[in-house]
């Protein structure tokens, strides 16, 4: 099955700086890649997603890039703010089967 | 619009007691439904998923079971809880395995 690896596991940045989280996947059949933000004690919230027919997608301060050849995708947060502090999960899902495969999460801390 | 409801938010149960967590989805029909468990500071572990009424797939052998008595209702159960069943339980739904996955607010279960 699919294997998703996520790095780094923890990340601290100064407010206003950029943060980048990277994920790799193993199954070339995966074609949908969502990113989730989870605040303490809450369920994960979908913040951005990308499909394999697109190389980059942006939504205000958040962007996701996908490299199908290398099988990796990244989350970019610019102009970070303290409220961006949370755990972020990447996921991949193939166009067959019924599962979403999640990375192990990145705990992001934005230092004011 | 679609919403997902999960309850209770927190639960403290003694070892050996039964468990029933309920999840309902509104505003859509025939959703794919999922139960995930998240240990403290860890990633998301898929426990069960369902593509229709009465159709349950188990991903991890364990002390838990799931049922889907109605199209938009998903129940997680146990006859006798173990200490190792403690964790944050999340229900989720998607229209399709290859579509956006939306999570409920979670249940924090403590087995003492």
């Amino acid at each position: 099955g699919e294997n998703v690896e996520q790095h780094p596991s923890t990340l601290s940045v100064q407010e206003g700086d950029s943060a980048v989280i990277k994920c790799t996947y193993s199954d070339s059949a995966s074609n949908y890649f969502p990113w989730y933000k989870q605040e303490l004690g809450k369920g994960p919230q979908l913040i951005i997603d990308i499909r394999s027919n697109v190389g980059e997608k942006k939504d205000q301060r958040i962007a996701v890039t996908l490299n199908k050849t290398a099988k990796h995708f990244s989350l970019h947060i610019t102009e970070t703010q303290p409220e961006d502090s949370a755990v972020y999960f990447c996921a991949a899902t193939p166009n067959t089967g019924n599962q979403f495969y999640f990375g192990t999460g990145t705990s992001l801390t934005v230092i004011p | 619009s679609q919403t997902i409801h999960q309850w209770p938010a927190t639960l403290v149960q003694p070892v050996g007691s039964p468990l029933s967590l309920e999840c309902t989805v509104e505003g859509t029909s025939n959703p794919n439904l999922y139960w995930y468990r998240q240990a403290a500071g860890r990633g998301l572990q898929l426990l069960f998923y369902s593509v229709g009424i009465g159709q349950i797939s188990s991903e991890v052998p364990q002390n838990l079971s799931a049922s889907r008595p109605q199209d938009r209702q998903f129940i997680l159960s146990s006859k006798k809880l173990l200490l190792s069943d403690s964790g944050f339980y999340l229900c989720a739904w998607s229209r399709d395995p290859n579509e956006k996955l939306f999570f409920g607010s979670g249940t924090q279960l403590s087995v003492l």
Side-chain angles (χ1 to χ4, degrees):
Chain A
E2 175 64 277
N3 180 44
V4 178
E5 295 188 356
Q6 184 173 345
H7 301 281
S9 57
T10 60
L11 179 60
S12 292
V13 299
Q14 290 292 135
E15 182 177 358
D17 288 350
S18 295
V20 180
I21 302 170
K22 299 181 180 180
C23 288
T24 61
Y25 62 99
S26 61
D27 190 346
S28 56
S30 287
N31 63 350
Y32 176 58
F33 307 91
W35 284 90
Y36 290 84
K37 175 183 180 182
Q38 186 179 25
E39 297 177 341
L40 192 63
K42 298 184 178 180
Q45 297 295 310
L46 178 67
I47 56 172
I48 196 166
D49 56 6
I50 192 168
R51 294 198 175 273
S52 58
N53 58 347
V54 176
E56 182 175 359
K57 185 176 178 181
K58 190 173 183 179
D59 182 4
Q60 299 184 336
R61 296 186 297 109
I62 295 174
V64 56
T65 58
L66 171 66
N67 183 325
K68 285 171 54 180
T69 303
K71 295 199 188 85
H72 68 70
F73 55 112
S74 300
L75 177 71
H76 304 254
I77 306 174
T78 58
E79 300 173 23
T80 54
Q81 302 168 3
E83 50 266 38
D84 294 329
S85 297
V87 178
Y88 291 81
F89 291 96
C90 63
T93 179
N95 54 11
T96 56
N98 292 293
Q99 283 203 44
F100 290 79
Y101 295 86
F102 285 87
T104 49
T106 296
S107 179
L108 173 65
T109 302
V110 179
I111 303 166
Chain B
S1 63
Q2 300 83 25
T3 55
I4 179 169
H5 300 280
Q6 188 180 343
W7 66 93
T10 59
L11 191 59
V12 180
Q13 292 284 99
V15 170
S17 64
L19 173 73
S20 181
L21 301 181
E22 189 165 342
C23 172
T24 59
V25 179
E26 296 178 354
T28 189
S29 59
N30 198 31
N32 283 11
L33 296 172
Y34 304 81
W35 278 111
Y36 286 87
R37 177 169 60 198
Q38 189 174 31
R42 304 289 296 276
L44 297 157
Q45 179 188 34
L46 179 63
L47 301 176
F48 301 95
Y49 68 88
S50 172
V51 298
I53 296 174
Q55 301 178 61
I56 309 294
S57 295
S58 174
E59 291 301 310
V60 181
Q62 59 217 318
N63 186 40
L64 302 169
S65 62
S67 62
R68 185 171 176 173
Q70 300 181 41
D71 181 45
R72 292 169 290 172
Q73 183 185 29
F74 206 23
I75 298 172
L76 183 69
S77 304
S78 173
K79 292 183 180 178
K80 287 186 179 182
L81 284 169
L82 306 172
L83 287 173
S84 57
D85 291 324
S86 295
F88 193 51
Y89 288 82
L90 290 155
C91 182
W93 78 274
S94 69
R95 290 187 198 281
D96 212 343
N98 216 233
E99 295 289 333
K100 299 178 192 292
L101 180 69
F102 298 98
F103 285 90
S105 53
T107 295
Q108 183 65 53
L109 172 66
S110 298
V111 182
L112 305 176

